[in-house]
Amino acid sequence: GYGRLDPQKHFIAQASGNSMDGGTNPVRDGDYLLLERISPDSAGGISNQTLVIERQDEAGDNQYLLRTVLKRGPNDYILRAANPAYADMEATPEFRTLARLRAIIPSWEMRIGETMAREDIAGMFGVAFNPGNWNLGHVVLSAKKAHVLLVTLSKQGKASEHRYKDHWIDESTFLWSSQNQTSPDDKRGREIIEHSALGITIHLFVRENKLAGGKAAPFVYHGPVEYEKHSGEKPMQVTFRLRRPQR
């Protein structure tokens, strides 16, 4: 999805810190960055571009900054962070340009296909694990604009009213049953149906059985899903499509 890339010229690095956590397309701590290698002699035009800049800190260690280069006058540039809490910096000879930002890859995109315990799933979204929330099959993270679906396919031992009929329709389409109290007209139901327009991402985690080897079985992360249609209420039967086929 990022065009034709030259592995000798492009690489991926993980962001750390929050100096770019601002603006319309923020880089958040933990995101992965697709970068294009450059050198001072081959950088080309750099005005209004976001670059990885290297400098040494007071201890003599290398420090890597993600900054947008703004031209102030002939041979006069400043380096600006997207987060307004960070002051502009003069572009002096101590700075060395290393790479140009090509794309922001959300941290979850690099984890599709991974197997994770509930506790690790919470950490993936940067929130604390709370058994009261995360032992449910539908976790709403309002501050993250995300819904997390934790699905166990085999419902053996469940009371009949809790034996939802979650299943794969094909390799990229999943039928999910909501909790009994969810309807298309309530807040949670509307956020599922209208998630794309509301800027909410729905993430699907699936496991076959509740237990494995006498312990809680982990879930496989299938990535974000898109709403296609629904039927019924309390519970709703929702058809989702993966953004990408299963690996």
Side-chain angles (χ1 to χ4, degrees), residues 21-73:
D21 191 359
T24 58
N25 194 25
V27 177
R28 296 184 173 88
D29 189 18
D31 282 348
Y32 291 84
L33 310 179
L34 176 61
L35 303 169
E36 178 186 5
R37 302 179 195 274
I38 59 176
S39 69
D41 297 329
S42 65
I46 59 174
S47 293
N48 300 313
Q49 296 193 22
T50 301
L51 305 180
V52 177
I53 307 290
E54 180 187 51
R55 73 167 183 176
Q56 288 191 332
D57 61 20
E58 295 179 355
D61 297 323
N62 289 337
Q63 184 181 44
Y64 300 95
L65 310 174
L66 199 61
R67 295 290 188 273
T68 298
V69 180
L70 301 176
K71 189 171 185 177
R72 198 164 49 181

Side-chain angles (χ1 to χ4, degrees), residues 14 24 35 47 57-58 63 73 84 111 123 129 149 172 181 190 204 207 209 214 217 245:
Q14 190 171 23
T24 58
L35 303 169
S47 293
D57 61 20
E58 295 179 355
Q63 184 181 44
R111 305 194 68 176
F129 175 73
L149 308 182
S172 60
Q181 66 269 30
R190 290 197 309 273
L204 178 64
R207 64 183 178 183
N209 299 293

Side-chain angles (χ1 to χ4, degrees), residues 109-185:
E109 189 170 328
M110 301 293 288
R111 305 194 68 176
I112 293 174
E114 283 191 22
T115 300
M116 296 180 239
R118 286 182 192 267
E119 295 86 347
D120 296 329
I121 295 170
M124 170 180 161
F125 291 94
V127 299
F129 175 73
N130 180 329
N133 292 330
W134 286 91
N135 283 339
L136 302 175
H138 184 181
V139 182
V140 177
L141 303 175
S142 298
K144 304 289 183 178
K145 302 203 76 172
H147 286 216
V148 179
L149 308 182
L150 301 165
V151 180
T152 303
L153 296 179
S154 175
K155 302 298 192 296
Q156 293 181 358
K158 287 278 189 180
S160 59
E161 65 269 24
H162 295 298
R163 290 180 184 171
Y164 308 138
K165 298 180 180 179
D166 307 305
H167 66 274
W168 291 101
I169 297 172
D170 56 40
E171 67 174 12
S172 60
T173 312
F174 192 80
L175 181 65
W176 173 77
S177 295
S178 74
Q179 295 170 318
N180 281 341
Q181 66 269 30
T182 304
S183 76
D185 299 322

